[in-house]
Amino acid sequence: MTYQSILFDLSGGIARLTLNRPDRLNSFTAAMHGEVADALTRIERDGARVLVLTGAGRGFCAGQDLSERQMAAAGTPPDLGETVEKFYAPLVRRLNALPLPVVVGVNGVAAGAGANLAFAGDIVIAKESASFIQSFCRLGLIPDTGGTFALPRLVGRARAMGLAMLGDKLSARQAQDWGLIWQCVPDEEFEAALDRLATHFSTAPTRGLAGTKQALQASLRNDLATQLDLERDLMRELGRSADYAEGVAAFLGKREPQFKGR
């Protein structure tokens, strides 16, 4: 597939996916969803060890391009549930299921589905000038793209309600303080910070990180007994991995490990 609305590169184990409709603040169209889905298939197939997701220009993502959701000539309203079911829900599920770290670099405003797409990442960093807006309430809608799931778990019920019902702009600094993102960095240090994370994860023990991701996600629905059983099963599996053997050998040999992601 030739991409028109995203940029994509996969080299050295690092997959870089950039939403690339800067004139529309990288808002999603059906075509962009198709391109992102194709890129994720390539990531799953071609041995990436980390995904770096960011946006081009001055924004990260403004959510849905509303020009694709205008009413038909006869006045029939669009089926927004179909849009969620066909595009946004599968996107969040795929990011959630990727067996590698998903690093999100929020380079500007992240609004609506764009904000919740960012929160679907595993490690989220943002420019100090970036901001997050749950803009759904301004349209008479609810937070989709996993927003109603992520927000109360990340910041608690009271703050989730305020963000979702008021639609106020939240600065990157406050998002960090509230635990919505991992780190807020000065604008001039953003690209270097993103590159450091990408390089780190490209040489990290990918299978172990995938197991960590799986276990932490499962903990949101499991009771203690079930979670302890999952920890046992994952430790059994990972204890047989080449990366674990290399990690132990490097520790005993007092050298840096050379992980292969296996």
Side-chain angles (χ1 to χ4, degrees), residues 193-215:
L194 207 53
D195 287 344
R196 281 195 299 272
L197 283 171
T199 300
H200 169 78
F201 284 127
S202 71
T203 59
T206 312
R207 281 186 64 185
L209 296 175
T212 297
K213 178 173 175 174
Q214 178 185 345

Side-chain angles (χ1 to χ4, degrees), residues 145-204:
T145 317
T148 61
F149 181 88
L151 289 173
R153 286 166 171 80
L154 291 172
V155 298
R157 180 182 181 277
R159 284 174 169 168
M161 285 288 188
L163 289 170
M165 290 188 167
L166 296 173
D168 290 347
K169 181 185 293 187
L170 191 73
S171 70
R173 180 65 59 188
Q174 195 166 9
Q176 174 187 275
D177 293 344
W178 283 12
L180 274 165
I181 65 173
W182 170 245
Q183 191 176 35
C184 166
V185 298
D187 287 22
E188 64 274 14
E189 298 176 16
F190 176 75
E191 294 296 340
L194 207 53
D195 287 344
R196 281 195 299 272
L197 283 171
T199 300
H200 169 78
F201 284 127
S202 71
T203 59

Side-chain angles (χ1 to χ4, degrees), residues 207 233-245 262:
R207 281 186 64 185
D233 295 343
L234 288 171
M235 289 294 277
R236 178 175 290 143
E237 174 188 341
L238 293 169
R240 296 166 179 160
S241 69
D243 275 350
Y244 173 67
R262 299 192 293 269

Side-chain angles (χ1 to χ4, degrees), residues 134-152:
Q134 294 293 323
S135 50
F136 303 91
C137 60
R138 302 177 183 180
L139 300 173
L141 301 175
I142 68 164
D144 63 13
T145 317
T148 61
F149 181 88
L151 289 173

